[in-house]
Amino acid sequence: MGFLTPVIDGFGVVFQPANLLYCLLGVTLGMLVGVLPGLGPAATIAILLPVTYSMPPTSAIIMLAGIFYGAQYGGTITSVLLRLPGEASSVVTAIDGHEMAKQGRAGAALGISAIGSFIGGTVAIVAVSLVAPLLARFAVDFGPAEYTMLAVLGILMVTTLGAGSAAKSLLMACLGLLLATIGQDPLLGTPRLAFGSDQLLDGIDFVILAMGVFGVGEILYNLESLRSPAPPPVTVGSVYPSRRDIRDSRGAIGRGSLVGFLLGVLPGGGATMSSMVAYAVERKASKHPETFGKGAIQAVAGPETANNAAATSSFVPLLSLGIPANATMAVMFGALLLQNITPGPLLATERPELFWGVINSMYVGNVLLLVMSLPLIGLFVRILRIRPAILAPLTILITMIGVYTVRMNAFDMLLVVGLGVMGYLMRKVGFEPGPLVLAFVLGEILEAAFRRSMRTFDGQLTGFLTQPIAATLLGAIVLLGLWGLSRRVREGSGRV
């Protein structure tokens, strides 16, 4: 029973009044962020990074985690009522969810989404509690060679398996790696890409990059896309699904929980891909696929369950291996580093109160979401009427104040504006910022691990083949690269 001691102690951490308050604050902010189209959990967490400086580490991560998985349900509200996804993970929900709303069943769609999100999140938390410690024990044997291969695999999976063009994602990852080298060489101390600027000798702070590319960049991009007024929301009606709705959704919720957990663990997977795969799975499993697109409740229950399960399971590679699985996890990685905490295999043993406190807080957060989501729908519908022209300048102001408080440096504010414009232009031409931020975070890990490996192997690249785990990961990298190349060739021949 000794292995249960840190788990039980983790609940003791969660039920401290301050941590309960931060958990409540996180899921409430998350739902609000999900309701407001365009802001997103990654941007919100990036904007709030300076606020976490003065907070206890466990409380800060509990709050930020609540924002992430809370946003998944908040995006459902606008998807169902307005056919305007608040989050990318709610895009497929808008198809059948809004059709249900037009049939007077918006309440049932929102209710089954809440139930599915709760079940999917809870199933994923239980699985995370079992898998993460085992993975951490396995990863204790990782050395520089293994971390080199793991970082390369993480970047490659994001660019190969993620949404959008693999070529564009790879280009963004290369740009992220390049930005990570700005500053002084960590071993030799010589300037790199500083262009004679003393301000750049310390490199680009992750907070600056995240707040610029995600915060300012996303706000500018979404302001342009939200110029047209949103249509008035439909009537919600009863938010409690009928027995038939629950019976019809049971299989979808079960399958969505499994799909969401498995894809959430994979780098490049995440909530968005999980919801789309879950939709495809439900359409394939349905006896009446012709009802999809016309208000099928399974098409709402499956994706909504999957995206919440994926949001939770994304913490497995972050906490156990120190590898962020998606853009939001990259920002979470930065939040941990700001608290002088290095996520990875030793986190569960060195900081069990944080490891289990964060995981167990998700049980409480999911209960809070289930309790709050249905009664607060009317309030969130009113919040939808806030004009973006008012919300965006206020958010930019908060961002700039937060940037300045990091190092009390006006140059950082100029840097954020420049990175924000870069992020806006990237989105305009179809380049997603996620791979850039992920590669920026992994770049430091990759460089340090690779250079230590080269010293160990006397400069011989073949040394990676002498380490069983590193060689296995290298084989996975080669196979993934070949698979991505063959997929691109097939897509190219299909267009011809």
Side-chain angles (χ1 to χ4, degrees):
M1 295 294 289
F3 70 94
L4 289 176
T5 302
V7 181
I8 296 171
D9 291 343
F11 280 109
V13 172
V14 175
F15 286 110
Q16 293 175 7
N19 288 335
L20 280 176
L21 181 61
Y22 282 119
C23 184
L24 174 62
L25 178 62
V27 297
T28 304
L29 278 174
M31 289 183 67
L32 180 59
V33 165
V35 166
L36 295 172
L39 194 54
T44 304
I45 294 172
I47 291 169
L48 290 176
L49 284 179
V51 178
T52 63
Y53 283 158
S54 58
M55 294 171 57
T58 302
S59 301
I61 305 305
I62 284 175
M63 182 186 74
L64 297 180
I67 292 173
F68 181 40
Y69 57 82
Q72 307 308 317
Y73 184 73
T76 309
I77 298 174
T78 52
S79 294
V80 172
L81 300 183
L82 302 177
R83 201 180 177 125
L84 181 64
E87 293 303 316
S89 57
S90 299
V91 168
V92 294
T93 306
I95 301 171
D96 287 81
H98 191 63
E99 287 299 318
M100 290 181 66
K102 291 195 292 186
Q103 297 167 14
R105 304 187 65 223
L110 293 171
I112 205 67
S113 297
I115 294 170
S117 296
F118 172 76
I119 295 174
T122 303
V123 169
I125 298 164
V126 173
V128 167
S129 302
L130 298 174
V131 171
L134 295 176
L135 190 59
R137 292 193 195 102
F138 168 74
V140 168
D141 296 329
F142 278 30
E146 288 76 17
Y147 269 105
T148 300
M149 293 296 104
L150 191 63
V152 173
L153 181 62
I155 294 171
L156 189 60
M157 289 185 77
V158 168
T159 55
T160 306
L161 301 180
S165 167
K168 289 183 177 180
S169 297
L170 185 59
L171 184 60
M172 286 293 96
C174 291
L175 179 58
L177 291 174
L178 182 66
L179 292 176
T181 63
I182 293 176
Q184 291 181 316
D185 185 289
L187 297 181
L188 304 178
T190 55
R192 300 188 304 191
L193 302 177
F195 305 105
S197 171
D198 293 338
Q199 301 283 358
L200 290 176
L201 282 178
D202 292 332
I204 298 177
D205 191 282
F206 175 78
V207 177
I208 307 300
L209 179 74
M211 296 179 81
V213 174
F214 280 119
V216 177
E218 290 290 308
I219 291 168
L220 292 176
Y221 180 78
N222 287 294
L223 261 182
E224 182 176 314
S225 62
L226 292 174
R227 284 180 297 184
S228 57
V234 297
T235 304
V236 175
S238 174
V239 294
Y240 299 101
S242 65
R243 289 184 179 180
R244 180 180 178 181
D245 290 334
I246 294 174
R247 185 174 63 252
D248 291 343
S249 303
R250 285 182 302 187
I253 290 173
R255 289 184 289 269
S257 299
L258 180 61
V259 168
F261 174 77
L262 294 177
L263 290 183
V265 172
L266 293 176
T272 302
M273 180 180 286
S274 299
S275 64
M276 293 180 178
V277 171
Y279 184 88
V281 168
E282 289 313 307
R283 188 163 189 167
K284 193 78 173 177
S286 176
K287 296 179 181 178
H288 302 284
E290 69 279 0
T291 62
F292 279 62
K294 301 177 182 178
I297 197 167
Q298 298 93 332
V300 175
E304 285 302 309
T305 302
N307 66 32
N308 225 282
T312 301
S313 63
S314 296
F315 284 87
V316 172
L318 175 69
L319 298 178
S320 301
L321 301 176
I323 300 295
N326 51 58
T328 307
M329 288 297 104
V331 183
M332 293 288 294
F333 185 97
L336 286 162
L337 294 181
L338 291 175
Q339 297 282 354
N340 293 319
I341 295 168
T342 303
L346 299 179
L347 184 63
T349 53
E350 292 181 351
R351 299 296 298 269
E353 79 288 347
L354 185 142
F355 184 89
W356 290 108
V358 171
I359 289 178
N360 292 348
S361 71
M362 298 179 192
Y363 289 106
V364 179
N366 266 278
V367 173
L368 290 174
L369 280 171
L370 182 64
V371 171
M372 293 192 309
S373 58
L374 301 182
L376 290 180
I377 285 174
L379 173 63
F380 288 132
V381 168
R382 293 188 183 93
I383 292 173
L384 283 171
R385 296 168 185 163
I386 298 177
R387 293 171 56 196
I390 297 173
L391 187 65
L394 182 62
T395 308
I396 292 285
L397 177 63
I398 294 171
T399 301
M400 301 310 290
I401 293 173
V403 169
Y404 185 75
T405 59
V406 173
R407 296 191 298 186
M408 301 296 178
N409 190 341
F411 178 79
D412 290 345
M413 300 174 72
L414 296 175
L415 197 56
V416 162
V417 172
L419 289 168
V421 172
M422 183 183 78
Y424 164 73
L425 294 175
M426 283 163 38
R427 292 293 304 274
K428 283 282 289 181
V429 294
F431 288 89
E432 291 294 328
L436 184 151
V437 177
L438 281 161
F440 182 86
V441 169
L442 293 175
E444 185 177 350
I445 299 172
L446 177 60
E447 181 184 9
F450 179 73
R451 292 174 74 168
R452 286 200 300 269
S453 300
M454 287 294 93
R455 287 187 171 188
T456 304
F457 301 143
D458 294 325
Q460 300 297 316
L461 288 171
T462 54
F464 288 101
L465 299 176
T466 64
Q467 306 295 316
I469 298 176
T472 302
L473 291 172
L474 180 59
I477 290 169
V478 173
L479 290 175
L480 187 62
L482 292 174
W483 179 83
L485 184 62
S486 65
R487 187 182 72 167
R488 188 177 179 187
V489 170
R490 288 196 305 269
E491 290 174 351
S493 61
R495 284 194 294 269
V496 176

